[in-house]
Amino acid sequence: MASILRRTRRLPHTTPPLRADTTHRKAAGATVSHWTAPGYGRSLTEAGRPSRRTYAGTRGYARSEDPSSAIGAPAMMSTLTPQHLRSAKDWAEIQERMLVPLYEAVYQHLGVGSRTRMLGLGCGSGLALLLAAARGARVVGTELDPARLALARARLAPAPQWGARSWSVQLLPGGPDRLPEGRSYDLVTVFDTGSSAGALQEAAARTQPGSPVVLAGWGTAEECAATDALRRAHRLTDPEPDGTHQPAGGRDALEGLAAGAGLDVADSGQVQCPFGYADVDSAVRGLLSTGVHRRIEQEADEERLGRELAEVLRERRRPDGTVWLSNLFHYVVARAA
């Protein structure tokens, strides 16, 4: 029986030792170090080859606080195209685990734990929420994409298992306007900066005074090999781009988004999130699932973009066939002005 309990509570991937390689900067200019888990974004086997397995997180089941949080929206799901469903699945199975160093660095810095009431805007397929819940936080997630939200429910709210720990989680379709009235949060996370300034303002209004609002995003093309690869592929499909499809990256873009929502930036940090893929095909599927170039995929032929991206990524292929991209991500910690 003891062995069964150990298996039930064990992480499917052993947590790598923490290393102080993440730079954290306060607004006043002081520079300190905090911790990040470098192995998460890589998911390597002992031989050094990226694993095809997905990161599942701790075993457990959700205690839903509100029956309305069960989305299970078959009508909405039936309207999605196979391309959309495939992209959501690729995000959950290939790409999202690459951002675990970012999630863990933010949680470590802010001391997320059992006293945290966290709201995750644009929670995707739920991995960031799962990691916070595993720390004991009570989490609420909102997501506009019904396919990703359905995957989040599958990840966060499985059937209860004997001996498994439980956590408090609520998942809601839409944005902060769908949040229950009369409930406040002491942390808001926005790991997908596709949220509007209005949504950020509304979410910040639900926090307790002085509570942090974390915005995170990709670095510039010079800092992110993945961003550079996507931009190069787009230039091949559109030799004369006008620049309107190129997403802004880096700390300055996050600070601009915070300012537009009436938030004051208190401090910031940067995290290395290497992307490791088993092969070029997995890399193409993973990068296209990010939605960073969502407008590009709508206006350009996706199949052609995928071919051009594969050509760019072959330049970064290792002798064993794996693809490795070094990326720097930024985050800012803001508070209501």
Side-chain angles (χ1 to χ4, degrees):
M1 183 178 297
S3 63
I4 294 176
L5 286 174
R6 282 196 298 271
R7 286 198 299 271
T8 307
R9 296 177 180 176
R10 182 168 59 90
L11 284 168
H13 293 264
T14 303
T15 303
L18 297 178
R19 184 176 74 222
D21 67 348
T22 300
T23 302
H24 170 68
R25 296 177 293 178
K26 291 186 177 295
T31 300
V32 296
S33 293
H34 58 92
W35 304 95
T36 184
Y40 268 129
R42 306 176 184 181
S43 186
L44 297 179
T45 63
E46 293 181 0
R49 182 179 178 86
S51 170
R52 291 178 181 270
R53 295 179 296 176
T54 60
Y55 182 90
T58 53
R59 285 183 178 270
Y61 64 93
R63 298 194 308 273
S64 178
E65 300 176 359
D66 182 355
S68 67
S69 66
I71 62 162
M76 187 180 299
M77 291 290 289
S78 65
T79 64
L80 300 178
T81 65
Q83 172 189 336
H84 189 102
L85 296 172
R86 183 174 62 252
S87 177
K89 185 177 179 182
D90 287 342
W91 169 258
E93 295 185 352
I94 299 175
Q95 191 62 36
E96 191 177 20
R97 61 184 171 82
M98 312 288 186
L99 301 183
V100 169
L102 173 64
Y103 303 153
E104 291 285 23
V106 169
Y107 296 158
Q108 183 77 12
H109 171 54
L110 295 176
V112 172
S114 59
R115 296 184 178 182
T116 304
R117 295 188 302 277
M118 189 183 96
L119 168 62
L121 293 186
C123 67
S125 52
L127 182 54
L129 296 183
L130 185 147
L131 293 173
R135 289 171 169 261
R138 300 178 66 180
V139 299
V140 175
T142 65
E143 174 58 47
L144 295 171
D145 186 330
R148 292 194 182 192
L149 191 57
L151 291 169
R153 285 197 57 78
R155 170 179 274 157
L156 279 159
Q161 303 178 45
W162 180 83
R165 56 189 290 187
S166 63
W167 46 60
S168 175
V169 60
Q170 184 179 20
L171 297 170
L172 298 169
D177 58 308
R178 299 295 301 271
L179 294 171
E181 294 294 336
R183 184 175 300 176
S184 64
Y185 309 90
D186 49 33
L187 170 63
V188 177
T189 59
V190 187
F191 292 117
D192 179 359
T193 51
S195 298
S196 66
L200 293 179
Q201 286 179 320
E202 188 167 354
R206 300 295 191 99
T207 64
Q208 298 178 357
S211 296
V213 178
V214 179
L215 310 178
W218 297 51
T220 63
E222 293 73 24
E223 298 170 326
C224 267
T227 300
D228 179 64
L230 283 164
R231 287 189 174 185
R232 289 178 58 194
H234 178 234
R235 291 193 187 102
L236 292 172
T237 60
D238 183 1
E240 298 181 359
D242 58 10
T244 59
H245 305 305
Q246 307 304 324
R251 180 173 177 239
D252 291 344
L254 297 174
E255 291 183 345
L257 180 59
L263 303 174
D264 290 333
V265 175
D267 50 39
S268 62
Q270 54 189 32
V271 185
Q272 290 289 343
C273 291
F275 292 177
Y277 305 95
D279 50 43
V280 170
D281 178 67
S282 297
V284 170
R285 290 166 54 197
L287 289 176
L288 290 181
S289 76
T290 62
V292 171
H293 287 240
R294 191 175 293 113
R295 289 181 60 192
I296 291 175
E297 294 176 31
Q298 291 175 353
E299 297 180 12
D301 178 71
E302 183 187 2
E303 183 177 350
R304 183 183 175 192
L305 178 60
R307 289 197 304 267
E308 301 295 357
L309 182 57
E311 289 298 320
V312 172
L313 292 173
R314 286 190 182 97
E315 300 174 8
R316 296 181 175 272
R317 186 169 51 184
R318 292 178 165 186
D320 62 356
T322 62
V323 176
W324 198 269
L325 303 174
S326 177
N327 306 292
L328 185 69
F329 277 65
H330 295 265
Y331 68 87
V332 298
V333 182
R335 304 178 194 277

